[in-house]
Amino acid sequence: MARTSASSASAPPGGRRSASMKDVAARAGVSVKTVSNVINGASVGAATRERVQHAIAELGYRPNISARNLRRGRTGILALAVSEVDVPYFAELARLIVDMAEEHGYTILIDQTGGDPKREQYVVNGMGTRLVDGVIFSPVAMDRLDIARRRDTTPLVLLGERVSAGPADHVAIDNVAAARAATAHLASLGRRRIAAIGVQDHDQSTARMRETGYRAALEEAGLPVDESLIVPARQYHRRDGAEAAAYLTELEEPPDAVFCFNDTLALGAMRTLYDRGYRIPDDLAVVGFDDIDDGRYNVPSLTTISPDKAGIARSALRLLLDRIEAVDSAPREVTVSYELRVRESSGSPRRV
Amino acid sequence: MARTSASSASAPPGGRRSASMKDVAARAGVSVKTVSNVINGASVGAATRERVQHAIAELGYRPNISARNLRRGRTGILALAVSEVDVPYFAELARLIVDMAEEHGYTILIDQTGGDPKREQYVVNGMGTRLVDGVIFSPVAMDRLDIARRRDTTPLVLLGERVSAGPADHVAIDNVAAARAATAHLASLGRRRIAAIGVQDHDQSTARMRETGYRAALEEAGLPVDESLIVPARQYHRRDGAEAAAYLTELEEPPDAVFCFNDTLALGAMRTLYDRGYRIPDDLAVVGFDDIDDGRYNVPSLTTISPDKAGIARSALRLLLDRIEAVDSAPREVTVSYELRVRESSGSPRRV
DNA sequence: CTGAAAGCGCTTACAG
DNA sequence: CTGAAAGCGCTTACAG
C-alpha cells in the first residue's frame, strides 16, 4: 500500500509509469545487479545478458538518469555560460562544444547571462543547484578578482580572457598579440589614422587586451595615438558597430582604417560606411576579429583575426574534464593559436 | 562503517563532500522535513526559518538536484534539438527559448542532430535516458510518418513544419502562404523569371511547403514554371546558396529574381551574384526567409519573410509545458504570424 | 506547524 | 559470475 501510493506520487504526470530496473530484473529472472551490469557493460554471461536485453526491449526500459546521477554523484551535464547564444562567435563555439562534449558522454546546457553581473555571479557560484558537473564560462562583467572570490568548487573553465596567474583554468588566444597583428597589418598598408571600435571599461577584459595590442602596434609603427579615434562599444553587436562608425565619419578628420574588436562590430560599421559613401578598402580599410561565417561571404569580405575555435572548444573541454576528475591541481592556462586572414576589406593597399 | 564507505564512494571526486539536508537539519536542530519546507517555500515559523537559513548559509548548503529530480519524477530540463545551433535562425530561436524557459524555471539543453536521421530518431524516442522533461525539435530528415511511429511518450513539440493532423504538437508559420507572398512580391516588381533556391526531397518538409507556395504564386501571376530555375540545396548554409547562384548565372537565360528558402542561402547567393557582376536588385532581385540579423545590415539589405520568432518560442514552450502537465490531450497546432519585410535587395523595381 | 520514516531508481561493497 | 542489501539526498503521506 505504501509502495503503491509513493509510486504513484512520484510517477510522471499523466499516469505514465515507466519500467524500473527492478521490473526488468523480475522479468528476466535475475537480480537488479545483473541488469545494472548488462547496462553498464560489465561482464555478464552471454545467455543471461541475452535474457536481460530481451526484457529491456519488451518493457521499453530506459535507465532513470536522476537515480543514476544521485548514486554516482555526477550528472553528465556541463554548462556553457555566455552572454547570448545568438552572437555568431558564441553560436559557432557552442556548436563545437556541444559536438565535442557529446563524444565524451556529456550534454551541454546553455546559460545566458546577458552580461548581467548578478547572473555572472550566479554562474560562477555553481548555478544554484548541483545541476552541472562543470561550467565553461565566458565572462563579460566579472573580472579576475570577482572570480577569485568565488566560494563554490564546481569545476570552472574561463573563456576569452588572458590573465596570467588566473583564479581558474582558462583558455584564450593571445589577444594582445592578435590585436597588434591586426593593427600592424593596417599600418603596413600605409594607413595613418587607424581607429579602434570596441573599447570597454572592465579591467582584465578581452576588450582591454585588444586595446593594449592596438596601442602597441600604433607605437611600433610610429603613429600617434589619437584618443578621438578610440571608440567604445557597450555590446558587440552590429548595431553598436554601426553607431560607432557613424561617430567616426562625423569627425573633422575621419580615419582611413578601423580595427573592430569583433566581426559583428565590423559588419555593422561597414554598413554605415557604405551608407555614407565610403569605399572599402579604398577610403577606409576594415579589420575584424573572430572570423565568423558572415564575414567570409560579406561584400566586401572581411579581413579578420581567426582564432582556432576548434582548439578553444577542445582545450576548454579538456581542462574541464581533467578538473572534474582531479580537483587539486593549480589553475592552468591554455593559449590557442590564431591567424590573420586578409580579405577584401583591407585587400587593396592604398597610398603604399 | 557502512555509512562511511558508501558516503565516500558517492562523494564528488576529489573528496569534496557538500552538506546535505540532513546536515542542515542537525545544525539547525530541526527535522529534514522542516529544512525542505524552508527551501520550498512552505509555511514555517519565522524563528525556525531563520535558524534553518542560518544553517544553510553556514554550511554553504545547496540542494542536490538529482535527488530532488528522482523524487519528483522530473528534471526541470528541456531539450532543444536542431540540426546545428550556429545556423543563425536557430541561434536566434535558441536565445529566445533559453530566456523564456528560464522564466518558467526550466533549463535548456542543446542537442545537435546534424540532420542525421539516426540522431533524429534518437531525439524523437526520448534521447536515451530520461534526462529531459520534454523536447522541442526541429526535424530535418524525419517526416510525419516517422514521428507518428514513435513509441516514446516524452512530451514533444515540433518546430517548422506545417502538417495538419500531425503526430505531435507543433508550431509553425504558414510556410505556403509566406512563400507565396515572397514570390508574389517579386512578381509584382515585374520580374518574369523568378528562381527558387532551397528545394528538398523530404515530404512534409518546410522546404516542400515553401516550394508549393512558390509554384502557386507563379501560377497566380500567370508566369510559367521553369523547372531549370528551381534549385535544390542540401543544406541551408551560405555556401549552398553561393553554389546554387553560380548554377543560375550559368543558365542560358538566367533569372531576374530569386526567392531563397532562407536568409543564409540568400546571403551566399548574393555574394556569388556580386562576384559575377550582377547588380542587386537592378539585374536580379533577391528575397530570403527568416529575417536574421545579418540580412538587415548586409549591403544590400535583404528583403525577407520575418516570422514572429518570439511567438514561435513562446508557443513552443507553452505547448510543451501544457503537455508536461497533461498528457492526454490531442495534438495541437499553433500557427504563428509572419511579415514580408521589403528591403534593398528587392527595393527598387525594374521594368515596372 | 513539525517529526519520523518510507521510498524514488539506481550503483556497489560485500558475500557467496 | 551473481545476489541481497545499503545508501545516495531528496519529498511527502501520515501522525502528532
Side-chain angles (χ1 to χ4, degrees), chain A residues 18 62 102 112 119 130 271 294 298 344, chain B residues 18 62 99 102 119 130 271 294 298 344:
Chain A
S18 31
R62 285 178 311 162
E102 200 218 327
Q112 287 183 141
R119 288 210 47 120
R130 277 166 273 161
R271 173 71 220 197
D294 321 36
N298 195 69
E344 294 163 355
Chain B
S18 32
R62 285 178 311 162
D99 277 348
E102 201 218 325
R119 287 210 49 119
R130 278 165 273 161
R271 173 70 221 198
D294 321 35
N298 194 69
E344 293 162 355

mmCIF file with all atom_site columns, all heavy atoms in Angstrom, chain A residues 18 62 102 112 119 130 271 294 298 344, chain B residues 18 62 99 102 119 130 271 294 298 344:
data_model
loop_
_atom_site.group_PDB
_atom_site.id
_atom_site.type_symbol
_atom_site.label_atom_id
_atom_site.label_alt_id
_atom_site.label_comp_id
_atom_site.label_asym_id
_atom_site.label_entity_id
_atom_site.label_seq_id
_atom_site.pdbx_PDB_ins_code
_atom_site.Cartn_x
_atom_site.Cartn_y
_atom_site.Cartn_z
_atom_site.occupancy
_atom_site.B_iso_or_equiv
_atom_site.pdbx_formal_charge
_atom_site.auth_seq_id
_atom_site.auth_comp_id
_atom_site.auth_asym_id
_atom_site.auth_atom_id
_atom_site.pdbx_PDB_model_num
ATOM 1   N N   . SER A 1 18  ? 7.054  4.315  -16.070 1.00 0.00 ? 18  SER A N   1
ATOM 2   C CA  . SER A 1 18  ? 7.948  3.524  -16.899 1.00 0.00 ? 18  SER A CA  1
ATOM 3   C C   . SER A 1 18  ? 8.593  2.436  -16.056 1.00 0.00 ? 18  SER A C   1
ATOM 4   O O   . SER A 1 18  ? 8.646  2.511  -14.834 1.00 0.00 ? 18  SER A O   1
ATOM 5   C CB  . SER A 1 18  ? 8.996  4.430  -17.535 1.00 0.00 ? 18  SER A CB  1
ATOM 6   O OG  . SER A 1 18  ? 9.286  5.508  -16.692 1.00 0.00 ? 18  SER A OG  1
ATOM 7   N N   . ARG A 1 62  ? 14.168 2.257  -19.930 1.00 0.00 ? 62  ARG A N   1
ATOM 8   C CA  . ARG A 1 62  ? 15.281 3.197  -20.063 1.00 0.00 ? 62  ARG A CA  1
ATOM 9   C C   . ARG A 1 62  ? 15.727 3.620  -18.678 1.00 0.00 ? 62  ARG A C   1
ATOM 10  O O   . ARG A 1 62  ? 14.894 3.916  -17.828 1.00 0.00 ? 62  ARG A O   1
ATOM 11  C CB  . ARG A 1 62  ? 14.857 4.443  -20.846 1.00 0.00 ? 62  ARG A CB  1
ATOM 12  C CG  . ARG A 1 62  ? 14.727 4.178  -22.339 1.00 0.00 ? 62  ARG A CG  1
ATOM 13  C CD  . ARG A 1 62  ? 14.268 5.406  -23.028 1.00 0.00 ? 62  ARG A CD  1
ATOM 14  N NE  . ARG A 1 62  ? 13.112 5.973  -22.339 1.00 0.00 ? 62  ARG A NE  1
ATOM 15  C CZ  . ARG A 1 62  ? 12.686 7.215  -22.488 1.00 0.00 ? 62  ARG A CZ  1
ATOM 16  N NH1 . ARG A 1 62  ? 13.311 8.017  -23.305 1.00 0.00 ? 62  ARG A NH1 1
ATOM 17  N NH2 . ARG A 1 62  ? 11.636 7.647  -21.838 1.00 0.00 ? 62  ARG A NH2 1
ATOM 18  N N   . GLU A 1 102 ? 29.614 15.774 -26.533 1.00 0.00 ? 102 GLU A N   1
ATOM 19  C CA  . GLU A 1 102 ? 28.853 14.548 -26.765 1.00 0.00 ? 102 GLU A CA  1
ATOM 20  C C   . GLU A 1 102 ? 29.785 13.351 -26.940 1.00 0.00 ? 102 GLU A C   1
ATOM 21  O O   . GLU A 1 102 ? 29.490 12.261 -26.452 1.00 0.00 ? 102 GLU A O   1
ATOM 22  C CB  . GLU A 1 102 ? 27.981 14.729 -28.013 1.00 0.00 ? 102 GLU A CB  1
ATOM 23  C CG  . GLU A 1 102 ? 26.833 13.750 -28.052 1.00 0.00 ? 102 GLU A CG  1
ATOM 24  C CD  . GLU A 1 102 ? 26.586 13.280 -29.457 1.00 0.00 ? 102 GLU A CD  1
ATOM 25  O OE1 . GLU A 1 102 ? 26.786 14.068 -30.402 1.00 0.00 ? 102 GLU A OE1 1
ATOM 26  O OE2 . GLU A 1 102 ? 26.222 12.098 -29.611 1.00 0.00 ? 102 GLU A OE2 1
ATOM 27  N N   . GLN A 1 112 ? 22.376 31.800 -20.374 1.00 0.00 ? 112 GLN A N   1
ATOM 28  C CA  . GLN A 1 112 ? 22.634 33.122 -20.944 1.00 0.00 ? 112 GLN A CA  1
ATOM 29  C C   . GLN A 1 112 ? 22.674 34.167 -19.839 1.00 0.00 ? 112 GLN A C   1
ATOM 30  O O   . GLN A 1 112 ? 21.691 34.381 -19.151 1.00 0.00 ? 112 GLN A O   1
ATOM 31  C CB  . GLN A 1 112 ? 21.543 33.485 -21.952 1.00 0.00 ? 112 GLN A CB  1
ATOM 32  C CG  . GLN A 1 112 ? 21.670 32.694 -23.231 1.00 0.00 ? 112 GLN A CG  1
ATOM 33  C CD  . GLN A 1 112 ? 20.646 33.064 -24.291 1.00 0.00 ? 112 GLN A CD  1
ATOM 34  O OE1 . GLN A 1 112 ? 20.959 33.122 -25.457 1.00 0.00 ? 112 GLN A OE1 1
ATOM 35  N NE2 . GLN A 1 112 ? 19.421 33.298 -23.904 1.00 0.00 ? 112 GLN A NE2 1
ATOM 36  N N   . ARG A 1 119 ? 23.860 37.664 -12.776 1.00 0.00 ? 119 ARG A N   1
ATOM 37  C CA  . ARG A 1 119 ? 23.779 36.338 -13.396 1.00 0.00 ? 119 ARG A CA  1
ATOM 38  C C   . ARG A 1 119 ? 25.167 35.732 -13.505 1.00 0.00 ? 119 ARG A C   1
ATOM 39  O O   . ARG A 1 119 ? 25.346 34.532 -13.396 1.00 0.00 ? 119 ARG A O   1
ATOM 40  C CB  . ARG A 1 119 ? 23.120 36.423 -14.777 1.00 0.00 ? 119 ARG A CB  1
ATOM 41  C CG  . ARG A 1 119 ? 21.630 36.706 -14.676 1.00 0.00 ? 119 ARG A CG  1
ATOM 42  C CD  . ARG A 1 119 ? 20.893 36.078 -15.842 1.00 0.00 ? 119 ARG A CD  1
ATOM 43  N NE  . ARG A 1 119 ? 21.314 34.709 -16.060 1.00 0.00 ? 119 ARG A NE  1
ATOM 44  C CZ  . ARG A 1 119 ? 20.511 33.655 -16.000 1.00 0.00 ? 119 ARG A CZ  1
ATOM 45  N NH1 . ARG A 1 119 ? 19.245 33.820 -15.713 1.00 0.00 ? 119 ARG A NH1 1
ATOM 46  N NH2 . ARG A 1 119 ? 20.961 32.456 -16.248 1.00 0.00 ? 119 ARG A NH2 1
ATOM 47  N N   . ARG A 1 130 ? 23.096 21.741 -7.655  1.00 0.00 ? 130 ARG A N   1
ATOM 48  C CA  . ARG A 1 130 ? 24.198 20.990 -8.255  1.00 0.00 ? 130 ARG A CA  1
ATOM 49  C C   . ARG A 1 130 ? 23.733 20.271 -9.509  1.00 0.00 ? 130 ARG A C   1
ATOM 50  O O   . ARG A 1 130 ? 23.654 19.055 -9.561  1.00 0.00 ? 130 ARG A O   1
ATOM 51  C CB  . ARG A 1 130 ? 24.762 20.017 -7.232  1.00 0.00 ? 130 ARG A CB  1
ATOM 52  C CG  . ARG A 1 130 ? 25.742 20.704 -6.313  1.00 0.00 ? 130 ARG A CG  1
ATOM 53  C CD  . ARG A 1 130 ? 26.049 19.864 -5.113  1.00 0.00 ? 130 ARG A CD  1
ATOM 54  N NE  . ARG A 1 130 ? 25.079 20.106 -4.053  1.00 0.00 ? 130 ARG A NE  1
ATOM 55  C CZ  . ARG A 1 130 ? 24.868 19.275 -3.035  1.00 0.00 ? 130 ARG A CZ  1
ATOM 56  N NH1 . ARG A 1 130 ? 25.540 18.161 -2.970  1.00 0.00 ? 130 ARG A NH1 1
ATOM 57  N NH2 . ARG A 1 130 ? 23.987 19.570 -2.113  1.00 0.00 ? 130 ARG A NH2 1
ATOM 58  N N   . ARG A 1 271 ? 28.396 48.646 -42.871 1.00 0.00 ? 271 ARG A N   1
ATOM 59  C CA  . ARG A 1 271 ? 27.095 49.047 -43.394 1.00 0.00 ? 271 ARG A CA  1
ATOM 60  C C   . ARG A 1 271 ? 26.953 50.570 -43.338 1.00 0.00 ? 271 ARG A C   1
ATOM 61  O O   . ARG A 1 271 ? 26.578 51.215 -44.313 1.00 0.00 ? 271 ARG A O   1
ATOM 62  C CB  . ARG A 1 271 ? 25.983 48.378 -42.575 1.00 0.00 ? 271 ARG A CB  1
ATOM 63  C CG  . ARG A 1 271 ? 24.587 48.843 -42.897 1.00 0.00 ? 271 ARG A CG  1
ATOM 64  C CD  . ARG A 1 271 ? 24.150 48.336 -44.254 1.00 0.00 ? 271 ARG A CD  1
ATOM 65  N NE  . ARG A 1 271 ? 23.413 49.349 -44.996 1.00 0.00 ? 271 ARG A NE  1
ATOM 66  C CZ  . ARG A 1 271 ? 22.651 49.088 -46.058 1.00 0.00 ? 271 ARG A CZ  1
ATOM 67  N NH1 . ARG A 1 271 ? 22.532 47.851 -46.522 1.00 0.00 ? 271 ARG A NH1 1
ATOM 68  N NH2 . ARG A 1 271 ? 22.032 50.047 -46.689 1.00 0.00 ? 271 ARG A NH2 1
ATOM 69  N N   . ASP A 1 294 ? 29.754 34.858 -41.429 1.00 0.00 ? 294 ASP A N   1
ATOM 70  C CA  . ASP A 1 294 ? 29.181 36.023 -42.113 1.00 0.00 ? 294 ASP A CA  1
ATOM 71  C C   . ASP A 1 294 ? 30.243 36.829 -42.841 1.00 0.00 ? 294 ASP A C   1
ATOM 72  O O   . ASP A 1 294 ? 30.039 37.288 -43.961 1.00 0.00 ? 294 ASP A O   1
ATOM 73  C CB  . ASP A 1 294 ? 28.526 36.984 -41.115 1.00 0.00 ? 294 ASP A CB  1
ATOM 74  C CG  . ASP A 1 294 ? 27.786 36.294 -40.000 1.00 0.00 ? 294 ASP A CG  1
ATOM 75  O OD1 . ASP A 1 294 ? 28.250 35.235 -39.550 1.00 0.00 ? 294 ASP A OD1 1
ATOM 76  O OD2 . ASP A 1 294 ? 26.765 36.824 -39.576 1.00 0.00 ? 294 ASP A OD2 1
ATOM 77  N N   . ASN A 1 298 ? 30.508 38.272 -46.845 1.00 0.00 ? 298 ASN A N   1
ATOM 78  C CA  . ASN A 1 298 ? 30.102 39.665 -46.949 1.00 0.00 ? 298 ASN A CA  1
ATOM 79  C C   . ASN A 1 298 ? 30.773 40.326 -48.155 1.00 0.00 ? 298 ASN A C   1
ATOM 80  O O   . ASN A 1 298 ? 31.830 39.902 -48.599 1.00 0.00 ? 298 ASN A O   1
ATOM 81  C CB  . ASN A 1 298 ? 30.517 40.404 -45.668 1.00 0.00 ? 298 ASN A CB  1
ATOM 82  C CG  . ASN A 1 298 ? 29.834 41.749 -45.538 1.00 0.00 ? 298 ASN A CG  1
ATOM 83  O OD1 . ASN A 1 298 ? 28.636 41.817 -45.328 1.00 0.00 ? 298 ASN A OD1 1
ATOM 84  N ND2 . ASN A 1 298 ? 30.613 42.822 -45.679 1.00 0.00 ? 298 ASN A ND2 1
ATOM 85  N N   . GLU A 1 344 ? 39.048 41.102 -48.602 1.00 0.00 ? 344 GLU A N   1
ATOM 86  C CA  . GLU A 1 344 ? 38.809 42.316 -49.391 1.00 0.00 ? 344 GLU A CA  1
ATOM 87  C C   . GLU A 1 344 ? 38.745 43.612 -48.588 1.00 0.00 ? 344 GLU A C   1
ATOM 88  O O   . GLU A 1 344 ? 39.112 44.674 -49.083 1.00 0.00 ? 344 GLU A O   1
ATOM 89  C CB  . GLU A 1 344 ? 37.492 42.169 -50.179 1.00 0.00 ? 344 GLU A CB  1
ATOM 90  C CG  . GLU A 1 344 ? 37.547 41.098 -51.243 1.00 0.00 ? 344 GLU A CG  1
ATOM 91  C CD  . GLU A 1 344 ? 36.156 40.689 -51.722 1.00 0.00 ? 344 GLU A CD  1
ATOM 92  O OE1 . GLU A 1 344 ? 35.158 41.174 -51.148 1.00 0.00 ? 344 GLU A OE1 1
ATOM 93  O OE2 . GLU A 1 344 ? 36.070 39.876 -52.662 1.00 0.00 ? 344 GLU A OE2 1
ATOM 94  N N   . SER B 1 18  ? 29.697 17.854 -0.098  1.00 0.00 ? 18  SER B N   1
ATOM 95  C CA  . SER B 1 18  ? 28.910 19.018 0.262   1.00 0.00 ? 18  SER B CA  1
ATOM 96  C C   . SER B 1 18  ? 27.840 18.622 1.263   1.00 0.00 ? 18  SER B C   1
ATOM 97  O O   . SER B 1 18  ? 27.475 17.461 1.400   1.00 0.00 ? 18  SER B O   1
ATOM 98  C CB  . SER B 1 18  ? 28.307 19.624 -0.996  1.00 0.00 ? 18  SER B CB  1
ATOM 99  O OG  . SER B 1 18  ? 28.047 18.623 -1.942  1.00 0.00 ? 18  SER B OG  1
ATOM 100 N N   . ARG B 1 62  ? 23.632 23.526 -0.756  1.00 0.00 ? 62  ARG B N   1
ATOM 101 C CA  . ARG B 1 62  ? 22.810 23.677 -1.959  1.00 0.00 ? 62  ARG B CA  1
ATOM 102 C C   . ARG B 1 62  ? 22.109 22.358 -2.216  1.00 0.00 ? 62  ARG B C   1
ATOM 103 O O   . ARG B 1 62  ? 22.730 21.301 -2.128  1.00 0.00 ? 62  ARG B O   1
ATOM 104 C CB  . ARG B 1 62  ? 23.680 24.023 -3.170  1.00 0.00 ? 62  ARG B CB  1
ATOM 105 C CG  . ARG B 1 62  ? 24.160 25.452 -3.157  1.00 0.00 ? 62  ARG B CG  1
ATOM 106 C CD  . ARG B 1 62  ? 25.045 25.694 -4.339  1.00 0.00 ? 62  ARG B CD  1
ATOM 107 N NE  . ARG B 1 62  ? 26.062 24.641 -4.452  1.00 0.00 ? 62  ARG B NE  1
ATOM 108 C CZ  . ARG B 1 62  ? 26.748 24.392 -5.542  1.00 0.00 ? 62  ARG B CZ  1
ATOM 109 N NH1 . ARG B 1 62  ? 26.535 25.107 -6.626  1.00 0.00 ? 62  ARG B NH1 1
ATOM 110 N NH2 . ARG B 1 62  ? 27.646 23.445 -5.558  1.00 0.00 ? 62  ARG B NH2 1
ATOM 111 N N   . ASP B 1 99  ? 15.893 31.975 -22.799 1.00 0.00 ? 99  ASP B N   1
ATOM 112 C CA  . ASP B 1 99  ? 15.446 33.026 -21.881 1.00 0.00 ? 99  ASP B CA  1
ATOM 113 C C   . ASP B 1 99  ? 14.039 32.771 -21.355 1.00 0.00 ? 99  ASP B C   1
ATOM 114 O O   . ASP B 1 99  ? 13.765 32.930 -20.162 1.00 0.00 ? 99  ASP B O   1
ATOM 115 C CB  . ASP B 1 99  ? 15.496 34.391 -22.575 1.00 0.00 ? 99  ASP B CB  1
ATOM 116 C CG  . ASP B 1 99  ? 16.893 35.005 -22.535 1.00 0.00 ? 99  ASP B CG  1
ATOM 117 O OD1 . ASP B 1 99  ? 17.740 34.486 -21.777 1.00 0.00 ? 99  ASP B OD1 1
ATOM 118 O OD2 . ASP B 1 99  ? 17.138 35.992 -23.245 1.00 0.00 ? 99  ASP B OD2 1
ATOM 119 N N   . GLU B 1 102 ? 13.773 29.869 -18.899 1.00 0.00 ? 102 GLU B N   1
ATOM 120 C CA  . GLU B 1 102 ? 14.283 30.225 -17.584 1.00 0.00 ? 102 GLU B CA  1
ATOM 121 C C   . GLU B 1 102 ? 13.204 30.886 -16.730 1.00 0.00 ? 102 GLU B C   1
ATOM 122 O O   . GLU B 1 102 ? 13.122 30.641 -15.528 1.00 0.00 ? 102 GLU B O   1
ATOM 123 C CB  . GLU B 1 102 ? 15.478 31.161 -17.746 1.00 0.00 ? 102 GLU B CB  1
ATOM 124 C CG  . GLU B 1 102 ? 16.366 31.193 -16.526 1.00 0.00 ? 102 GLU B CG  1
ATOM 125 C CD  . GLU B 1 102 ? 16.875 32.574 -16.260 1.00 0.00 ? 102 GLU B CD  1
ATOM 126 O OE1 . GLU B 1 102 ? 17.137 33.316 -17.231 1.00 0.00 ? 102 GLU B OE1 1
ATOM 127 O OE2 . GLU B 1 102 ? 17.008 32.935 -15.074 1.00 0.00 ? 102 GLU B OE2 1
ATOM 128 N N   . ARG B 1 119 ? 20.162 10.264 -35.533 1.00 0.00 ? 119 ARG B N   1
ATOM 129 C CA  . ARG B 1 119 ? 20.109 11.149 -34.366 1.00 0.00 ? 119 ARG B CA  1
ATOM 130 C C   . ARG B 1 119 ? 18.708 11.715 -34.191 1.00 0.00 ? 119 ARG B C   1
ATOM 131 O O   . ARG B 1 119 ? 18.261 11.938 -33.067 1.00 0.00 ? 119 ARG B O   1
ATOM 132 C CB  . ARG B 1 119 ? 21.125 12.285 -34.509 1.00 0.00 ? 119 ARG B CB  1
ATOM 133 C CG  . ARG B 1 119 ? 22.556 11.799 -34.322 1.00 0.00 ? 119 ARG B CG  1
ATOM 134 C CD  . ARG B 1 119 ? 23.429 12.903 -33.755 1.00 0.00 ? 119 ARG B CD  1
ATOM 135 N NE  . ARG B 1 119 ? 22.809 13.518 -32.611 1.00 0.00 ? 119 ARG B NE  1
ATOM 136 C CZ  . ARG B 1 119 ? 23.321 13.542 -31.391 1.00 0.00 ? 119 ARG B CZ  1
ATOM 137 N NH1 . ARG B 1 119 ? 24.469 12.976 -31.164 1.00 0.00 ? 119 ARG B NH1 1
ATOM 138 N NH2 . ARG B 1 119 ? 22.701 14.152 -30.418 1.00 0.00 ? 119 ARG B NH2 1
ATOM 139 N N   . ARG B 1 130 ? 16.102 9.135  -19.352 1.00 0.00 ? 130 ARG B N   1
ATOM 140 C CA  . ARG B 1 130 ? 15.063 10.122 -19.039 1.00 0.00 ? 130 ARG B CA  1
ATOM 141 C C   . ARG B 1 130 ? 15.680 11.377 -18.458 1.00 0.00 ? 130 ARG B C   1
ATOM 142 O O   . ARG B 1 130 ? 15.496 11.706 -17.304 1.00 0.00 ? 130 ARG B O   1
ATOM 143 C CB  . ARG B 1 130 ? 14.046 9.501  -18.091 1.00 0.00 ? 130 ARG B CB  1
ATOM 144 C CG  . ARG B 1 130 ? 13.028 8.676  -18.844 1.00 0.00 ? 130 ARG B CG  1
ATOM 145 C CD  . ARG B 1 130 ? 12.259 7.798  -17.913 1.00 0.00 ? 130 ARG B CD  1
ATOM 146 N NE  . ARG B 1 130 ? 12.937 6.537  -17.692 1.00 0.00 ? 130 ARG B NE  1
ATOM 147 C CZ  . ARG B 1 130 ? 12.683 5.727  -16.663 1.00 0.00 ? 130 ARG B CZ  1
ATOM 148 N NH1 . ARG B 1 130 ? 11.798 6.054  -15.781 1.00 0.00 ? 130 ARG B NH1 1
ATOM 149 N NH2 . ARG B 1 130 ? 13.325 4.588  -16.559 1.00 0.00 ? 130 ARG B NH2 1
ATOM 150 N N   . ARG B 1 271 ? 26.466 36.961 -52.615 1.00 0.00 ? 271 ARG B N   1
ATOM 151 C CA  . ARG B 1 271 ? 27.914 37.065 -52.741 1.00 0.00 ? 271 ARG B CA  1
ATOM 152 C C   . ARG B 1 271 ? 28.355 36.613 -54.141 1.00 0.00 ? 271 ARG B C   1
ATOM 153 O O   . ARG B 1 271 ? 29.118 37.308 -54.821 1.00 0.00 ? 271 ARG B O   1
ATOM 154 C CB  . ARG B 1 271 ? 28.588 36.210 -51.662 1.00 0.00 ? 271 ARG B CB  1
ATOM 155 C CG  . ARG B 1 271 ? 30.086 36.094 -51.778 1.00 0.00 ? 271 ARG B CG  1
ATOM 156 C CD  . ARG B 1 271 ? 30.758 37.414 -51.443 1.00 0.00 ? 271 ARG B CD  1
ATOM 157 N NE  . ARG B 1 271 ? 31.855 37.707 -52.347 1.00 0.00 ? 271 ARG B NE  1
ATOM 158 C CZ  . ARG B 1 271 ? 32.810 38.592 -52.093 1.00 0.00 ? 271 ARG B CZ  1
ATOM 159 N NH1 . ARG B 1 271 ? 32.803 39.296 -50.973 1.00 0.00 ? 271 ARG B NH1 1
ATOM 160 N NH2 . ARG B 1 271 ? 33.765 38.824 -52.955 1.00 0.00 ? 271 ARG B NH2 1
ATOM 161 N N   . ASP B 1 294 ? 21.822 39.279 -39.701 1.00 0.00 ? 294 ASP B N   1
ATOM 162 C CA  . ASP B 1 294 ? 22.788 39.507 -40.775 1.00 0.00 ? 294 ASP B CA  1
ATOM 163 C C   . ASP B 1 294 ? 22.166 40.243 -41.961 1.00 0.00 ? 294 ASP B C   1
ATOM 164 O O   . ASP B 1 294 ? 22.770 41.135 -42.543 1.00 0.00 ? 294 ASP B O   1
ATOM 165 C CB  . ASP B 1 294 ? 23.344 38.187 -41.329 1.00 0.00 ? 294 ASP B CB  1
ATOM 166 C CG  . ASP B 1 294 ? 23.597 37.150 -40.277 1.00 0.00 ? 294 ASP B CG  1
ATOM 167 O OD1 . ASP B 1 294 ? 22.823 37.085 -39.303 1.00 0.00 ? 294 ASP B OD1 1
ATOM 168 O OD2 . ASP B 1 294 ? 24.551 36.371 -40.435 1.00 0.00 ? 294 ASP B OD2 1
ATOM 169 N N   . ASN B 1 298 ? 23.321 43.700 -44.137 1.00 0.00 ? 298 ASN B N   1
ATOM 170 C CA  . ASN B 1 298 ? 24.029 43.376 -45.370 1.00 0.00 ? 298 ASN B CA  1
ATOM 171 C C   . ASN B 1 298 ? 23.868 44.505 -46.391 1.00 0.00 ? 298 ASN B C   1
ATOM 172 O O   . ASN B 1 298 ? 22.913 45.266 -46.347 1.00 0.00 ? 298 ASN B O   1
ATOM 173 C CB  . ASN B 1 298 ? 23.444 42.080 -45.944 1.00 0.00 ? 298 ASN B CB  1
ATOM 174 C CG  . ASN B 1 298 ? 24.330 41.491 -47.018 1.00 0.00 ? 298 ASN B CG  1
ATOM 175 O OD1 . ASN B 1 298 ? 25.416 41.008 -46.728 1.00 0.00 ? 298 ASN B OD1 1
ATOM 176 N ND2 . ASN B 1 298 ? 23.878 41.546 -48.266 1.00 0.00 ? 298 ASN B ND2 1
ATOM 177 N N   . GLU B 1 344 ? 16.397 46.522 -49.438 1.00 0.00 ? 344 GLU B N   1
ATOM 178 C CA  . GLU B 1 344 ? 17.093 46.938 -50.666 1.00 0.00 ? 344 GLU B CA  1
ATOM 179 C C   . GLU B 1 344 ? 17.221 45.840 -51.724 1.00 0.00 ? 344 GLU B C   1
ATOM 180 O O   . GLU B 1 344 ? 17.231 46.122 -52.917 1.00 0.00 ? 344 GLU B O   1
ATOM 181 C CB  . GLU B 1 344 ? 18.509 47.428 -50.321 1.00 0.00 ? 344 GLU B CB  1
ATOM 182 C CG  . GLU B 1 344 ? 18.524 48.705 -49.515 1.00 0.00 ? 344 GLU B CG  1
ATOM 183 C CD  . GLU B 1 344 ? 19.867 48.948 -48.821 1.00 0.00 ? 344 GLU B CD  1
ATOM 184 O OE1 . GLU B 1 344 ? 20.750 48.069 -48.904 1.00 0.00 ? 344 GLU B OE1 1
ATOM 185 O OE2 . GLU B 1 344 ? 20.018 50.014 -48.210 1.00 0.00 ? 344 GLU B OE2 1
#
